[in-house]
Amino acid sequence: MTPLETDEDKGHGHMTDTAAERPAGSPTGYRINFPKSWWHLDLDPSTRDASIRRRVEKVAAGRDDIGREQLDSLVRELRGTTREAHARGALQAAGMLAFLTDGSTLTATTVVLRTEIPEGEPTDLHRLMVSAGVHNNRNSVGRGTGANTVEIMEVPGLGSVGRMTSVEDVDYAGRATVRTGMHHVVVPVPGSRTLLIISSSTPNITMLDEFFEVFDAIAGTFRFREGAGPEGVDFENGK
């Protein structure tokens, strides 16, 4: 398993992480902030399709130049993103959508995933990121460019995290592949073998530097939370 795969990617289903399995004193959840223009994507299968449709229609309100076919395509793409996030056991997902004056779109999503390092495998972040970097260099269509990076970063109030960026050809909901900028930040959970992965993406390749700055800023707000509280996301149920 590569450092950026979850148990769902291996076909083992949703990862379990009960309070009894975590050492005393380890974090029970986290909080992360998104720009005001972003909204939280509904991951609930019973409500997400209608929720996404309402949001896209709201953003497009008053734009007579935005056709029904374009709106339906955006709805399908966002539904595909949320279905995949839910299937992978995502704790949280958020996104942004904006229509430019020429009718083109700016879109991006961020999903928070978790994965468990198997017993017997190293937990050292540097070794994990070296492994991820080898995989990245073999598979990213952006290899050899400034868009393809792997590094360890120090985040004030959080400590060492891994950061990997790449450009990939992504299959959106079974359609033709779309060249997409990928941005992953790997956060080790203290006192455990758990990693949280803040995974962001955008198909707006011409604005990759700007979006990577936004993704860095979002990941920079991540903080662990201990104990019960009204804010943040709990590891147990994603709420």
Side-chain angles (χ1 to χ4, degrees):
M1 182 174 73
T2 70
L4 298 184
E5 289 179 332
T6 66
D7 282 358
E8 180 68 22
D9 294 321
K10 295 178 67 183
H12 293 174
H14 199 287
M15 190 190 77
T16 60
D17 180 27
T18 66
E21 292 171 338
R22 288 199 305 271
S26 63
T28 61
Y30 70 90
R31 60 178 175 81
I32 188 171
N33 298 327
F34 295 95
K36 291 182 178 180
S37 59
W38 288 49
W39 81 96
H40 291 281
L41 292 168
D42 184 358
L43 296 177
D44 187 338
S46 66
T47 57
R48 66 189 177 204
D49 286 359
S51 174
I52 288 170
R53 170 70 69 179
R54 286 195 302 269
R55 183 68 188 200
V56 171
E57 296 281 0
K58 181 178 179 179
V59 175
R63 291 291 301 268
D64 295 335
D65 58 323
I66 307 299
R68 176 54 50 188
E69 183 177 349
Q70 183 178 1
L71 292 181
D72 289 345
S73 177
L74 287 167
V75 169
R76 286 193 298 270
E77 289 178 11
L78 286 170
R79 286 175 176 172
T81 296
T82 54
R83 281 197 300 270
E84 180 181 359
H86 181 266
R88 297 178 69 186
L91 297 172
Q92 188 177 10
M96 64 85 62
L97 167 64
F99 292 99
L100 302 181
T101 55
D102 63 358
S104 61
T105 59
L106 294 179
T107 60
T109 58
T110 293
V111 177
V112 181
L113 304 163
R114 61 179 177 178
T115 186
E116 188 83 3
I117 302 172
E119 291 293 335
E121 293 192 11
T123 60
D124 179 74
L125 183 61
H126 288 78
R127 293 183 63 178
L128 290 170
M129 294 311 295
V130 167
S131 176
V134 171
H135 179 80
N136 191 18
N137 285 328
R138 288 175 178 171
N139 295 280
S140 172
V141 295
R143 58 185 177 273
T145 74
N148 201 79
T149 66
V150 178
E151 59 187 319
I152 302 292
M153 300 173 58
E154 294 297 321
V155 178
L158 189 60
S160 298
V161 302
R163 178 183 184 271
M164 186 172 81
T165 66
S166 62
V167 176
E168 310 287 347
D169 285 333
V170 177
D171 183 352
Y172 283 90
R175 299 169 55 212
T177 57
V178 178
R179 192 143 294 186
T180 302
M182 309 296 296
H183 181 286
H184 306 288
V185 173
V186 182
V187 184
V189 178
S192 75
R193 302 182 69 84
T194 301
L195 301 174
L196 295 184
I197 304 170
I198 307 168
S199 183
S200 304
S201 64
T202 178
N204 296 106
I205 296 298
T206 59
M207 298 184 64
L208 207 55
D209 290 343
E210 292 84 352
F211 271 106
F212 279 178
E213 287 183 6
V214 173
F215 298 156
D216 281 336
I218 290 171
T221 71
F222 182 97
R223 294 293 184 274
F224 287 113
R225 176 175 63 82
E226 297 183 7
E231 297 182 356
V233 176
D234 189 86
F235 291 156
E236 299 299 329
N237 53 25
K239 297 179 180 179

